[in-house]
Amino acid sequence: MLFGAALWATQARATEAGPVRLRLWPGVPPGGGGPTGPERSDGGNVTNVSDPALTVYVPPNPNGTAMLVAAGGGYQRISMTGEAAPAVRWLTARGIIACVLTYRLPQEGWAVGPLAPLQDAQRAIRMMRAGRASAAIDPDRIGLLGFSAGGHLMGMTAARSDEPSYAPVDEVDRQSAEVATAALIYPVITLLPPFDRTATRISLVGTNPNLQQAMAWSVQTHVDDDTPPIFVVETQDDPIAKPENGEILADACEDAQVPVQRLLLPRGGHGFAMGRTGSPSEKWPVFLETWLRARRLL
């Protein structure tokens, strides 16, 4: 079995031969702490993330575009089977390299708390830009795709790309964390009342955060004219990420003159991933494909 630098060296680049799992950090993640032992999977939901990673899926004929995928789970688990896997199938069928993020969960003992998943996301983008994930990735054609709490993470990553969340650890961190676009699917956006009754809020800032904490971890607070174009999908009957989340985000984007498309479906609830057959959510990926084509990412 390989450990440390030896394992890192064997994982330099994914190829078309199959998915490759890359460690995000050459040593202990910034700040230290966290759980011990291997990660656990229960029904396709991952927990006990002791070694955050990027799993890269390169299609037979990659077109240069890559998407960093973050599944949801309230920052308490990561829905790999329910959300990440369908996204990988959809992306790779269109020639897009899918890079699935296994990010640290804030309540699993990491010293940096809510900053841990943002650090992982920024590091993943820098690895993608540096060619560590695949030589077929065009650094100017990297996007984000996040679901639920993963949508919150990808929203924060998009809006805070110019805010370093950790000190550089190696040459990879000379790269920018900027991306071309972000697609946020039934995302949690705000941690402010009255839309703060989510597992995302509890996992990030606890049950009784002050106003400063809630604002600091609300995506709309960080949107400015450097934020990339945003695509957001919601349903009117979502019981978890209320549709007002998307409205708040769209308003922030418009105020900052950031291109934004908000798709509000009449029904579909929460957790429909790449769409449920026979429901209004079945067609939303068509709109994403159009959005990506308009930005020359397809």
Side-chain angles (χ1 to χ4, degrees), residues 189-200:
I189 295 299
T190 185
L191 305 191
L192 294 169
F195 310 112
D196 59 342
R197 297 180 179 276
T198 61
T200 291

Side-chain angles (χ1 to χ4, degrees), residues 30 76 84 91 140 154-155 172 177 183 201 207 243 258 262:
Q76 297 174 349
L91 292 167
D140 295 324
M154 294 294 91
V172 168
R201 187 263 290 170
T207 55
V258 172
R262 181 184 179 217

Side-chain angles (χ1 to χ4, degrees), residues 6 30 34 43 68 167 170 207 213 216 223 225:
L68 179 63
D170 59 21
T207 55
Q213 290 172 318
V223 172
D225 57 6

Side-chain angles (χ1 to χ4, degrees), residues 91-154:
L91 292 167
T92 55
R94 287 155 182 80
I96 298 174
I97 298 169
C99 300
V100 176
L101 182 64
T102 303
Y103 52 91
R104 286 173 285 164
L105 301 172
Q107 292 191 329
E108 291 191 334
W110 297 101
V112 294
L115 204 57
L118 180 62
Q119 291 177 339
D120 292 343
Q122 289 189 344
R123 174 70 178 183
I125 293 167
R126 293 182 173 118
M127 288 175 63
M128 292 163 72
R129 281 184 164 274
R132 288 286 181 90
S134 170
I137 295 176
D138 181 338
D140 295 324
R141 298 176 65 186
I142 295 173
L144 309 176
L145 175 59
F147 302 85
S148 192
H152 177 274
L153 175 56
M154 294 294 91

